Amino acid sequence: GRIDTAVHPFTTSFSPYDVRITSRFNTKEWFQGLMGTIHEGGHAMYEQSLGDSDTSLDTALSMGVHESQSLFWERHIGKGRPFWKFAGSVVRDVFRESGVEGFEYSDEELYRAVNGVDFKNLIRVDADELTYPLHVILRYGIERDVVEGTLDVDDIPKRWNEDMKSLLDVDVPNDKEGSLQDIHWSCMAIGYFPTYLLGAMMAAQLYHYCGLDVPDLEEKIVKGEFGDVKEWLKKKVHVHGRRYGSLDELLEREIGEKLNPDYFIRYLEGKYGELYQVD
């Protein structure tokens, strides 16, 4: 493994023995760098646990499955309350050692801060879990209409701005922070954005079943013991590569049911209902 910096975080795999990630860091804001690194680490662990036959069988099943692995670690581990009971003291020590005064927030305060909802955010990769699906829905609607021929490419910025206003009540100041913020369309990755939402749903479902199979899961996270979680994901997802024909078949064979969005919905309702005291 190897980590470097880049404008946009990504993971590159040459083989299970040579997987590299990048992340980005901002001297004025520390959290996005941490989450970006955890996210890409989730991708990397998937790649490292695939077989080494050098055949298509030992490759990732789909990008939806791939995103489930990164989002599992980023959201269900890295944004969870148990993680901040573990990481809070680590973060406070780093700030003290860096000479930063006044960073004495409790574990609970850090957990609530990193899960805050920003309804005025413009950027998909910086979006919180609650509003993130709307950023995906916006992009899918635009690319679907372009492919179907009902939306001209020249009209994408106007449509983008209209949809940001209707979905998120956000005014877009320029195209850099609007329709040009992602690399996907310029790379011809048409249809990629829905994999983020598929991955989010799958991650929530996997975390539910991981909690059933791994004894004292949250207690282990509080102690910084992540090995059992990694091994569970390896057994249920990673080692199978393309053995199964679809995401649904993988889930049905390994955890007993196809993709079920109810786990994702209950996760969001439970987490943010408690955070914002909303029934």
Side-chain angles (χ1 to χ4, degrees):
R2 176 187 170 103
I3 181 171
D4 291 282
T5 57
V7 174
H8 188 93
F10 63 89
T11 299
T12 298
S13 175
F14 299 97
S15 79
Y17 308 105
D18 187 0
V19 182
R20 311 179 188 195
I21 71 170
T22 68
S23 192
R24 60 181 175 186
F25 304 94
N26 187 331
T27 56
K28 297 181 179 179
E29 194 280 321
W30 58 272
F31 177 67
Q32 293 301 330
L34 174 61
M35 286 299 104
T37 304
I38 294 176
H39 180 100
E40 297 305 324
H43 283 302
M45 283 185 278
Y46 185 16
E47 292 289 335
Q48 287 178 325
S49 298
L50 292 167
D52 59 359
S53 69
D54 201 27
T55 67
S56 60
L57 179 65
D58 287 329
T59 57
L61 177 56
S62 72
M63 291 315 302
V65 175
H66 229 309
E67 292 300 335
S68 79
Q69 300 309 287
S70 56
L71 292 172
F72 182 102
W73 285 100
E74 176 192 349
R75 296 181 176 181
H76 296 277
I77 304 297
K79 285 193 170 186
R81 184 178 271 117
F83 179 80
W84 286 98
K85 290 181 179 179
F86 157 71
S89 60
V90 177
V91 172
R92 287 189 292 272
D93 288 345
V94 168
F95 275 93
R96 290 192 197 104
E97 293 168 4
S98 301
V100 177
E101 298 180 357
F103 195 94
E104 298 298 333
Y105 302 104
S106 68
D107 298 343
E108 181 65 17
E109 287 174 322
L110 288 170
Y111 165 70
R112 290 180 174 273
V114 301
N115 285 288
V117 176
D118 182 2
F119 289 103
K120 296 302 179 183
N121 172 59
L122 292 160
I123 308 301
R124 174 186 60 83
V125 296
D126 294 338
D128 54 84
E129 294 175 280
L130 201 59
T131 59
Y132 189 93
L134 297 175
H135 288 267
V136 173
I137 291 168
L138 177 148
R139 288 155 173 77
Y140 170 70
I142 290 174
E143 62 186 7
R144 176 200 60 204
D145 291 350
V146 170
V147 170
E148 290 182 346
T150 59
L151 177 67
D152 192 83
V153 171
D154 291 340
D155 295 327
I156 288 178
K158 180 175 181 293
R159 167 70 176 276
W160 182 288
N161 297 347
E162 292 172 349
D163 287 356
M164 283 292 288
K165 186 65 176 178
S166 64
L167 289 173
L168 291 159
D169 194 27
V170 173
D171 295 310
V172 181
N174 53 66
D175 291 341
K176 178 183 177 181
E177 296 177 284
S179 59
L180 297 180
Q181 67 179 261
D182 298 299
I183 64 172
H184 301 62
W185 291 337
S186 62
C187 296
M188 297 304 293
I190 309 300
Y192 190 101
F193 287 113
T195 67
Y196 294 120
L197 196 45
L198 288 169
M201 290 187 286
M202 182 175 173
Q205 192 168 350
L206 288 171
Y207 188 77
H208 169 80
Y209 281 97
C210 184
L212 298 179
D213 290 344
V214 176
D216 303 321
L217 170 62
E218 294 195 344
E219 288 81 355
K220 285 183 168 66
I221 296 172
V222 170
K223 296 176 182 178
E225 298 173 0
F226 306 106
D228 288 348
V229 178
K230 181 176 181 291
E231 285 303 310
W232 187 88
L233 289 171
K234 182 178 179 180
K235 176 183 176 182
K236 296 294 184 179
V237 179
H238 301 173
V239 297
H240 301 294
R242 293 195 179 187
R243 173 186 176 193
Y244 300 118
S246 67
L247 180 155
D248 272 340
E249 185 182 355
L250 167 68
L251 289 175
E252 190 167 31
R253 293 288 295 274
E254 293 301 322
I255 64 174
E257 64 173 330
K258 296 179 180 180
L259 183 67
N260 184 345
D262 288 347
Y263 293 99
F264 182 55
I265 295 170
R266 288 200 296 267
Y267 164 70
L268 291 178
E269 289 178 341
K271 181 175 186 176
Y272 288 93
E274 185 270 331
L275 281 170
Y276 286 91
Q277 299 182 346
V278 177
D279 293 329

